[in-house]
Amino acid sequence: MPLNRRTLLGSAAAAGAGAALAAGGTAPAQAAGPGQGSAPGRPQKRYAFTVMGTTDLHGNVFNWDYFTDKEFDDAAHNDVGLAKISTLVEQVRKEKGRQNTLLIDAGDTIQGTQLAYYYAKVDPITAKRGPVHPVAQAMNAIGYDAAALGNHEFNYGIPVLRKFEEQVRFPLLGANALDAKTLKPAFAPYVIKKLRTPQGRDVRVAILGLTNPGIAIWDKANVQGKMTFPGLEEQAAKWVPKLRSMGADVVIVSAHSGSDGSSSWGDQLPYVENAAGLVAERVPGIDAILVGHAHVEIPERRVVNEKTGKDVVLSEPLKWGQRLTLFDIEVVWDRGGWTVEKVSSKVLNSNTVAEDKKITGLLADEHRKVVAYVNQVIGTSTAAMSTADAPWRDEPIIDLINHVQTETVKAALAGGEWAALPVLSQASCFSRTAGIPAGEVTIRDAAGLYPFENTLEARLVTGAQILAYLEYSAKYYVQTAAGAPVDTAKLTNAGGTPDYNYDVVSGLTYEIDIAKPAGSRIVDPRFGGQPLDPAAKFVLAVNNYRASGGGNFPHVPGAQQLWSNSDEIRNTIIGWVKETGTVDPAVFASVDWKLTRDGTPVF
């Protein structure tokens, strides 16, 4: 599908500012003392409205975990899904008056659950006379006004994203998602919504969408040569003044970018990954930012803009529909126009309400299809395996991932130039609750080991590069002195490193001395029982996220690619179980790494 089909000039959402009138009743004027916009003795004109926001829905419509085949629950008893969000939204609309509210999203909507996967890959929305994506159906029914693009929107390729864009009844916004050839916006950069007031001119609310530059790395195979993704700050500085000159009274940014200024790709891109706070600080003219991408909860954060001295309010609702952000905004009529007088924000918890039957009823058939799909039996296992201890022990269930990857790469390279080289493999513990039961193994069991849409590659590396890779990975552990008590709840995730950025490597043996500082922890690395030769060459089976620079691991992004596969690793695991029939840890499990302190094993 050509990228210029929905460029800025051709998009009805962007052309003419994409204005949409929110008609209906209005909020009453509130009396106040005289101001610059009022004649002496007359009450000042005021109006209040609420912008609701979600982010990182990741395909969650129902309060259901397709990997466990039961209602979602966690230690904090959070709930998930758009059906819950719908109930909260209707409560807010009833309280505030629907005409005094807007509803937006900050991206990552169509990837993450088996429901989302099913309608991208098994019964794809791109097929001729294909279905309407259940997330599109739900968001349309709830009545979203706009959504920013997330990086995971690109996981299934641009055609799936474009079809989703066709199916939703609101604009997908991405001011910094540009056509690689024309450098014009490939999606609508913004939309302007009009809120009718009883005091004269409508309040014009501009919503600017910004996505994550990391798309260029993480989904390189899908976007290279087609789209480019400049920095958020640069594009906000370009568009916010335009929106103000077009008469926007209020400017809201929906940014699929965390707020802390960090990046996971080092110097591979000149742009900051989590740039929302920097945008608030450096770009004047923004009133509030709906933050996404980081999967953290921020009810309200105030950032002072360095040029205006005014507060910009940031809020990030928790992922998967666990929270709904409310920006409460008050404006006052001043000098012939509306001026923002006050902004505050908070989040509502979706576990306080029931699912909206309008949404669950609408998508009951889709839900049943996916439940049936994930419960298909594809093989048997001789033993139960779990990821519960995988962050600190070499567990057979992670060995299974590495075994499948190693076999796949060896088969792909067989008979070729690189066939004689030994194959190593990297894997992460993506979920601490995944498992393979003893007995029947279903698609959901196998898929639960790999919840991301990563694909497999083979890269050429040296022993020295692997050692550096392992040292970088080992920063995941909190330094713990020899003899000190070890609490597994406090042992991992040092420096905020997520579980998915801790890799183990199979095909060699090594120890990780957690008593030593990060950077000097790998002890006695061996290949074939001999000390690891820094000059030796290896093939590394690695996922495309890591190979593209995700996590900023050293050497691999620049290493020669020997082979790549377009199928998800998750499907490769499912296919292996189907073909093998029996999952037997005795075939692939071995203790290749362990945590130590001064040579003494921790566990």
Side-chain angles (χ1 to χ4, degrees), residues 43 61 82 84 97 149 164 230 233 372 413:
V61 174
L82 279 164
K84 290 268 185 173
L149 294 164
F164 179 74
E233 183 184 340
L413 298 180

Side-chain angles (χ1 to χ4, degrees), residues 63 65 70-79:
N63 186 42
D65 185 341
K70 60 184 180 182
E71 184 176 319
F72 177 88
D73 194 24
D74 64 10
H77 301 298
N78 287 301
D79 287 346

Side-chain angles (χ1 to χ4, degrees), residues 137-272:
Q137 293 189 59
M139 295 179 82
N140 287 340
I142 295 169
Y144 274 77
D145 293 289
L149 294 164
N151 55 283
H152 283 288
E153 259 66 82
F154 294 84
N155 285 173
Y156 297 119
I158 292 171
V160 170
L161 175 54
R162 287 300 191 190
K163 190 64 178 180
F164 179 74
E165 183 187 23
E166 288 180 6
Q167 293 180 342
V168 295
R169 296 197 291 265
F170 51 87
L172 298 182
L173 307 177
N176 61 327
L178 309 182
D179 184 289
K181 294 181 175 64
T182 66
L183 297 184
K184 291 181 178 180
F187 296 84
Y190 65 90
V191 66
I192 293 180
K193 308 292 288 187
K194 293 181 180 179
L195 299 178
R196 184 169 294 167
T197 76
Q199 295 95 345
R201 198 187 82 179
D202 299 337
V203 174
R204 295 167 60 86
V205 182
I207 303 160
L208 177 68
L210 297 170
T211 192
N212 206 290
I215 296 166
I217 291 178
W218 303 321
D219 268 300
K220 182 178 179 180
N222 290 328
V223 301
Q224 188 173 33
K226 300 173 183 178
M227 292 187 190
T228 186
F229 303 88
L232 283 85
E233 183 184 340
E234 166 195 327
Q235 293 300 302
K238 172 183 176 180
W239 284 101
V240 171
K242 289 184 179 181
L243 296 174
R244 290 294 184 182
S245 69
M246 293 167 61
D249 303 300
V250 182
V251 173
I252 309 293
V253 173
S254 184
H256 193 75
S257 180
S259 65
D260 66 2
S262 65
S263 285
S264 67
W265 52 63
D267 58 1
Q268 294 178 79
L269 289 176
Y271 314 116
V272 175

Side-chain angles (χ1 to χ4, degrees), residues 439-526:
E440 292 184 340
V441 178
T442 63
I443 283 178
R444 66 178 171 85
D445 296 325
L449 301 184
Y450 227 105
F452 297 106
E453 271 65 44
N454 297 150
T455 57
L456 188 61
E457 296 189 15
R459 297 284 179 123
L460 182 64
V461 295
T462 67
Q465 290 173 334
I466 283 293
L467 181 59
Y469 189 100
L470 291 172
E471 284 288 8
Y472 181 85
S473 183
K475 69 184 179 66
Y476 171 74
Y477 294 106
V478 174
Q479 187 173 1
T480 308
V486 175
D487 181 354
T488 56
K490 300 176 181 178
L491 178 63
T492 62
N493 307 102
T497 303
D499 290 350
Y500 63 77
N501 272 345
Y502 170 62
D503 287 359
V504 299
V505 175
S506 70
L508 70 166
T509 61
Y510 58 96
E511 298 176 7
I512 302 172
D513 190 334
I514 60 173
K516 295 182 179 180
S520 58
R521 290 177 169 174
I522 303 302
V523 177
D524 196 24
R526 289 177 174 267

